[in-house]
Amino acid sequence: MNTIQIEVSIIIINYNTDELTIQAVESVLKYVKDISFEIIVVDNDSKETKLASALSAFQNTHFYPLDSNIGFGNANNFGYSKSKGDFIFLLNSDAFLIAEDTIPSFIDYLENNKNVGCVGGNLVSEKGETNISYGNFLSIEKTLHDYGIKKARSEHFYATLATSRQCCFNEPTPVDYLTAAAIMLKRELIEKLGLFDPRYFMYFEDMDLCFRYQKNGYLCVLLPDVKIVHIGGQSGLASFQNNTFLNKQIQYSKYLFLQNVSTLPTAYFLFLVGKMVSIYRRVKRKIKRKMNE
């Protein structure tokens, strides 16, 4: 019996975002033409989800519920372990396709540029306004700026420090890192360099991936003509009610990434400083609220 070779595997992670996930799946089914594909939806132990029945009506769609929330990166790693495609397209549940040339453009660019390991598009809002698509690598200087210890001038900050930037290019451009809301990679390269570092629960795992790929000689390129809608904030922050938990995860992810660009003692010192700054700011807010009562 002949098996059809899967050209691209689309991996979507769901966490309490059923309606958005269905919208993302429907966009793939609507806009991916003349390419063999599979859709892999991984549920990160949502409180209530009816995706199993909802997705059963969609072609080429596989649903994998997890018994616990293992984080965004690890859920994608799990999805990858179930995939068969030559190319892997990671699509956030709160993102969706709006054009038929998206997937072909990504595949063509990766096939024709052997030194490119990862491609992403020009992310826009539902209204078509530019959204966060890429950024600079987190640095010690950026961390000190965030803590209010050493503020940078706005021009310098945006050009060299900002970790969240909107697309401002007219042609394919290598960038430090691409936001993982919608990126494509080659299977052969993932087999060589891995996907996401399992130590990251959420946030900065995309930055770490791009850093690792570039360290091994592969570029991460943004294609400005490829537009994808990313609503933003729905599959991460808005899905959690415990902001303290999220803040801890963000600080820990920063600590992990800073080890790439500094020494372990420096990264750990900045991690401790970050915890102290968070405590100071929290106490300051409480005092201010009491004074206003």
Side-chain angles (χ1 to χ4, degrees), residues 30-46:
K30 178 179 180 180
Y31 290 109
V32 179
K33 308 292 184 181
D34 304 319
I35 293 176
S36 59
F37 69 92
E38 62 177 353
I39 303 172
I40 296 172
V41 177
V42 179
D43 181 73
N44 235 341
D45 194 30
S46 297

Side-chain angles (χ1 to χ4, degrees), residues 22 39 50 54 59 72 86 94 106 122 129 144-145 149 154 161 165 173 180 188 206 217 251 265 293:
I22 291 173
I39 303 172
K50 298 179 180 179
Q59 63 177 352
F72 177 78
D86 295 327
D94 61 349
F106 283 161
N122 181 358
E129 300 166 340
L144 294 176
H145 173 91
I149 297 173
S154 58
L161 300 182
R165 297 189 60 176
T173 303
E188 61 182 273
D206 44 10
Q251 291 300 324
E293 289 178 355

Side-chain angles (χ1 to χ4, degrees), residues 71-276:
F72 177 78
N74 280 310
N76 272 291
N77 290 344
F78 175 85
Y80 173 72
S81 73
K82 302 297 182 181
S83 70
K84 301 175 182 177
D86 295 327
F87 296 90
I88 306 299
F89 181 53
L90 308 182
L91 182 66
N92 263 26
S93 62
D94 61 349
F96 56 89
L97 306 183
I98 54 176
E100 291 185 6
D101 64 350
T102 298
I103 300 298
S105 295
F106 283 161
I107 291 176
D108 288 345
Y109 199 86
L110 286 172
E111 286 184 329
N112 294 319
N113 297 273
K114 301 303 181 183
N115 65 330
V116 175
C118 177
V119 290
N122 181 358
L123 302 183
V124 298
S125 69
E126 291 180 285
K127 296 180 180 180
E129 300 166 340
T130 54
N131 209 336
I132 303 302
S133 299
Y134 76 105
N136 298 297
F137 289 134
L138 179 66
S139 63
I140 294 175
E141 186 178 0
K142 167 66 162 58
T143 305
L144 294 176
H145 173 91
D146 291 345
Y147 294 161
I149 297 173
K150 184 182 178 182
K151 288 292 185 180
R153 297 191 306 274
S154 58
E155 299 85 358
H156 172 65
F157 176 85
Y158 189 74
T160 62
L161 300 182
T163 53
S164 299
R165 297 189 60 176
Q166 299 171 341
C167 178
C168 55
F169 311 125
N170 296 317
E171 58 185 24
T173 303
V175 298
D176 275 2
Y177 88 97
L178 296 158
T179 176
I183 57 174
M184 182 177 287
L185 309 95
K186 309 172 189 175
R187 171 178 292 278
E188 61 182 273
L189 197 54
I190 296 176
E191 290 297 310
K192 177 183 177 182
L193 301 177
L195 193 54
F196 292 122
D197 185 330
R199 296 177 299 168
Y200 291 81
F201 183 82
M202 63 189 305
Y203 297 116
F204 293 93
E205 64 281 298
D206 44 10
M207 185 184 293
D208 177 81
L209 181 147
C210 291
F211 184 90
R212 186 183 343 124
Y213 277 38
Q214 292 183 51
K215 185 178 179 180
N216 284 274
Y218 295 93
L219 299 175
C220 298
V221 177
L222 191 154
L223 309 184
D225 292 335
V226 179
K227 292 187 177 181
I228 301 168
V229 172
H230 180 213
I231 300 172
Q234 303 302 307
S235 59
L237 187 63
S239 298
F240 288 87
Q241 295 181 343
N242 190 339
N243 287 333
T244 300
F245 169 79
L246 271 185
N247 288 331
K248 287 182 178 179
Q249 293 301 325
I250 292 172
Q251 291 300 324
Y252 183 66
S253 292
K254 284 183 177 181
Y255 160 66
L256 291 175
F257 183 81
L258 283 171
Q259 294 177 48
N260 292 321
V261 296
S262 67
T263 64
L264 177 59
T266 299
Y268 188 64
F269 173 74
L270 290 172
F271 172 68
L272 294 178
V273 171
K275 293 184 70 172
M276 289 188 288

